[in-house]
Amino acid sequence: MTLHGGRNRSGLRRRTGEALTAVLTVALVFSFSGCSLAPDTGETSSSPTTSSADSGNAAIFTPSDGITLSQHTPLNKWTAFVSELTASLQNQHMKKSSITAKIFDNLDDQSQAVQDYVVSHIASSASSSGGSTTGAGSSQTKDAASAKNHTIIVAPVTDTTDSQRQYGDYFGSHITEKTSASVSSSSPSTTESPSGASSDTDSSSSSASPSTTSNNASTTRHEAIVRLRSALNLARNSGMHVVLLSSTFEGFTPDLFVPMASVAQMAQVQAKQLVSKLELDKTSKENPKQIEVLLPSGSSTTDTADVDTFNKTAFSAIWEVLGPYFRSGAVESPSGLLDKNSSADSWKLLKFNASNEDSVKKELTARLGKQNKSASTRTRIDGILSMNDYVASEVTETLTSMGYTGSSADINPEISIAGIVDNITGKKDLKKSKAPDPSVAPSTNGDADSSGSSSSQDSSSSSSSSSQQSDDTGGLNSSAWPIVTGYGAYLDNIPNIVDGQQWMTALEDRKGIGSTLAKAVAQLNTSQQLNADDSIKTETSNGISAPTLQKELLTVSASNLKSVLIDTNYITAADAGL
């Protein structure tokens, strides 16, 4: 595999605009060709017509690894996925020399590279097949066959905010053509390659007005989308296969779409964990659970409509799960931001500036009250849905500073921190047993209503349940540690899972996706039916109907951390702080 950076913006790389693509499409329509890999570093790679690799060739174009403002970064990065996919493709009998991978910082460079790649391979094949008048039919047949055993895999580079990057590199979107008035007035069929404009823009950027800079960026984005769509359609018309990863864009339907993780998935997996861990189906309105939902956004200067769309979608998925419990009175919000009259539109009340650690602490402190370690009472809180591990880490620090004690493990009294460590190191299995929870809030003396007590519960379970539900003020306040959820499996946050400060996190099944995708590519390249496994189904995403590969998210807590992350080589025991 050859790994390239996509940062060369010179005019030489801009030699092929959309007009050239259109010309080549017409010129080559009767000589659809195979594409021998031609990496731009000079590395020799085997020609598809002579390669003995059963599963053909693959070219992978992905974004570079995202950079977050904080030092916390999600476990799954693009570089890791490409490495995983490359290994899986080789396991499917694809030669290493038949795999090319390139990374890019922006959609403009990426679209140009994809276009150059497609056009150069079609032109090369056309040249080799058109030079002979004898046996031309046989040559064209070989070219068409070689095109069919070639798959281009593209994860379009998207513009993401700092808050969106906290969810990881694989977060995708539907790329639309946001154009300025000047772009809208130009015809896409005559769009120039932005190479020259880019050079001019760079040289005059210091004197350009903000509006001019914005228009230039919009123009470049528009051209990049048009170029990428044209190149990929040309690839498919020539007989190649195209796989889109993570994101879709207008006007193109791939042979296979791999959405990685959706906003709804990331939100619902946390809401469902709260339902399960807090046993909300057994909770009564006489003794409701207290849950806060945090929707992190960027600062007012960096916030965008895309972030609002993200939070709106996330909360809609959360409310689908938690809404019934709020409406029945089984769940309340200590801050009062959510109640039985709330709706899917209540996300606007929950979003807050999470651009730095202090802003998270300020938000949670405001929601739970301004208690400190010396306060005799604290607002009872049973669960906090933090959305991602960056926010979750700040939530746990804030809870500690506010004087909350214990860990998520306390809610299951048979799980101790020592037991968690023994489980992770393989010494013993955990046996979880949920502590009984009274159906009616305890009275001022701490006695539970007899209807909610279990005569068989032992003293440790009773003590744990009591500490979670009541104190000397009659059950309205508690310093017991809540369930804290997150997403992203931040490597530096894994020890917080081990010690019970954070109950769970989740991440994309990078290995499972890479393995199944490699099988699918092999099937595409060998003209087999696309049925790598039952995770591939035809679905509609953003108005585009295509075969879709979607794996369930991996949910990680202390009880399964060893089997999900350590045994599968996502992390080492040392990474978990063991």
Side-chain angles (χ1 to χ4, degrees):
M1 181 187 73
T2 313
L3 196 62
H4 304 278
R7 299 175 173 81
N8 187 351
R9 302 178 63 90
S10 69
L12 292 177
R13 290 192 62 241
R14 307 294 183 174
R15 64 191 180 278
T16 49
E18 187 179 11
L20 175 57
T21 301
V23 171
L24 281 171
T25 303
V26 175
L28 303 176
V29 68
F30 296 110
S31 60
F32 293 147
S33 58
C35 299
S36 60
L37 288 171
D40 55 9
T41 58
E43 179 179 323
T44 302
S45 58
S46 302
S47 168
T49 58
T50 60
S51 172
S52 61
D54 294 335
S55 52
N57 306 268
I60 308 166
F61 301 84
T62 65
S64 56
D65 286 349
I67 300 175
T68 57
L69 289 179
S70 70
Q71 305 231 343
H72 313 301
T73 56
L75 182 63
N76 280 340
K77 310 293 286 181
W78 278 119
T79 299
F81 178 76
V82 171
S83 177
E84 204 81 55
L85 176 58
T86 300
S88 295
L89 286 170
Q90 291 180 67
N91 289 337
Q92 293 299 317
H93 311 294
M94 185 176 291
K95 287 185 176 180
K96 185 176 181 181
S97 59
S98 296
I99 304 169
T100 293
K102 302 182 181 183
I103 61 173
F104 303 89
D105 291 331
N106 59 73
L107 185 63
D108 188 29
D109 284 345
Q110 185 185 48
S111 65
Q112 184 67 53
V114 172
Q115 178 181 260
D116 288 352
Y117 184 88
V118 173
V119 170
S120 66
H121 282 75
I122 291 179
S124 175
S125 295
S127 175
S128 62
S129 63
S132 171
T133 56
T134 305
S138 174
S139 177
Q140 289 181 3
T141 300
K142 289 181 179 180
D143 289 335
S146 85
K148 290 181 179 179
N149 74 359
H150 201 121
T151 296
I152 296 177
I153 303 167
V154 181
V157 178
T158 59
D159 297 326
T160 55
T161 65
D162 293 334
S163 59
Q164 288 173 324
R165 281 190 287 273
Q166 303 295 349
Y167 295 90
D169 286 357
Y170 305 160
F171 164 68
S173 63
H174 182 58
I175 303 174
T176 59
E177 296 181 47
K178 297 178 181 177
T179 61
S180 64
S182 60
V183 176
S184 300
S185 63
S186 63
S187 170
S189 62
T190 59
T191 301
E192 274 190 272
S193 169
S195 58
S198 175
S199 176
D200 293 341
T201 300
D202 289 343
S203 64
S204 60
S205 60
S206 60
S207 59
S209 67
S211 61
T212 301
T213 302
S214 176
N215 287 339
N216 287 338
S218 182
T219 300
T220 300
R221 175 186 169 85
H222 171 78
E223 291 176 337
I225 295 172
V226 171
R227 186 187 301 113
L228 183 60
R229 178 174 59 221
S230 179
L232 293 182
N233 277 323
L234 176 60
R236 290 198 71 193
N237 289 338
S238 72
M240 299 180 193
H241 312 285
V242 177
V243 175
L244 284 185
L245 298 178
S246 190
S247 297
T248 57
F249 58 92
E250 294 176 322
F252 180 76
T253 301
D255 294 284
L256 178 64
F257 175 49
V258 185
M260 310 299 270
S262 69
V263 177
Q265 276 184 304
M266 293 187 286
Q268 277 201 347
V269 70
Q270 297 179 60
K272 290 178 179 178
Q273 281 286 306
L274 289 176
V275 170
S276 174
K277 180 67 173 174
L278 296 176
E279 292 193 337
L280 297 186
D281 290 329
K282 299 179 182 179
T283 301
S284 70
K285 63 181 180 180
E286 287 78 20
N287 187 25
K289 298 293 187 182
Q290 305 294 319
I291 294 177
E292 284 294 328
V293 176
L294 303 177
L295 293 181
S297 296
S299 65
S300 58
T301 57
T302 62
D303 218 353
T304 66
D306 289 339
V307 176
D308 280 349
T309 299
F310 181 101
N311 283 329
K312 181 179 181 180
T313 303
F315 184 70
S316 178
I318 292 169
W319 196 244
E320 183 179 334
V321 176
L322 297 183
Y325 300 102
F326 274 94
R327 288 191 289 271
S328 71
V331 173
E332 294 178 346
S333 166
S335 66
L337 294 177
L338 292 176
D339 57 31
K340 62 182 180 180
N341 298 317
S342 297
S343 67
D345 204 37
S346 298
W347 65 272
K348 298 175 184 177
L349 302 174
L350 302 174
K351 107 176 157 168
F352 71 101
N353 174 9
S355 58
N356 57 63
E357 293 87 345
D358 288 340
S359 60
V360 178
K361 181 177 182 179
K362 180 179 178 181
E363 177 70 15
L364 186 60
T365 301
R367 292 200 191 187
L368 298 183
K370 302 182 182 300
Q371 291 85 358
N372 52 51
K373 288 184 177 181
S374 63
S376 59
T377 62
R378 288 165 188 83
T379 302
R380 173 186 161 189
I381 178 68
D382 298 296
I384 300 176
L385 195 156
S386 304
M387 283 305 295
N388 61 61
D389 281 6
Y390 168 73
V391 175
S393 67
E394 301 310 322
V395 165
T396 57
E397 288 190 12
T398 302
L399 289 171
T400 299
S401 68
M402 294 177 72
Y404 287 86
T405 59
S407 74
S408 298
D410 294 335
I411 298 176
N412 284 329
E414 290 189 12
I415 298 180
S416 64
I417 299 302
I420 291 174
V421 174
D422 285 344
N423 171 256
I424 292 176
T425 55
K427 294 181 180 179
K428 69 176 183 180
D429 294 328
L430 291 173
K431 295 180 179 180
K432 298 191 291 182
S433 177
K434 177 69 173 67
D437 190 23
S439 59
V440 178
S443 62
T444 54
N445 60 11
D447 294 329
D449 180 86
S450 59
S451 64
S453 302
S454 171
S455 58
S456 63
Q457 76 182 67
D458 59 27
S459 59
S460 64
S461 294
S462 177
S463 173
S464 175
S465 178
S466 178
S467 68
Q468 177 68 17
Q469 302 299 337
S470 66
D471 62 12
D472 293 339
T473 64
L476 297 179
N477 297 280
S478 173
S479 62
W481 199 266
I483 298 299
V484 179
T485 69
Y487 182 87
Y490 286 27
L491 197 59
D492 64 337
N493 226 38
I494 296 299
N496 283 347
I497 302 288
V498 175
D499 64 22
Q501 296 297 289
Q502 181 176 330
W503 167 247
M504 61 76 62
T505 187
L507 68 158
E508 298 91 340
D509 184 3
R510 184 184 79 215
K511 295 176 182 290
I513 293 173
S515 175
T516 304
L517 176 55
K519 293 177 184 177
V521 169
Q523 289 175 345
L524 288 171
N525 285 352
T526 54
S527 301
Q528 299 180 50
Q529 184 177 358
L530 193 60
N531 59 356
D533 69 19
D534 57 10
S535 64
I536 297 180
K537 301 175 182 178
T538 298
E539 297 181 0
T540 300
S541 302
N542 302 314
I544 297 173
S545 180
T548 302
L549 192 170
Q550 190 161 11
K551 295 284 189 181
E552 291 294 321
L553 296 176
L554 300 178
T555 304
V556 182
S557 62
S559 59
N560 70 352
L561 189 148
K562 178 178 183 295
S563 61
V564 175
L565 293 185
I566 296 178
D567 292 347
T568 55
N569 297 318
Y570 274 96
I571 66 171
T572 66
D575 292 329
L578 302 173

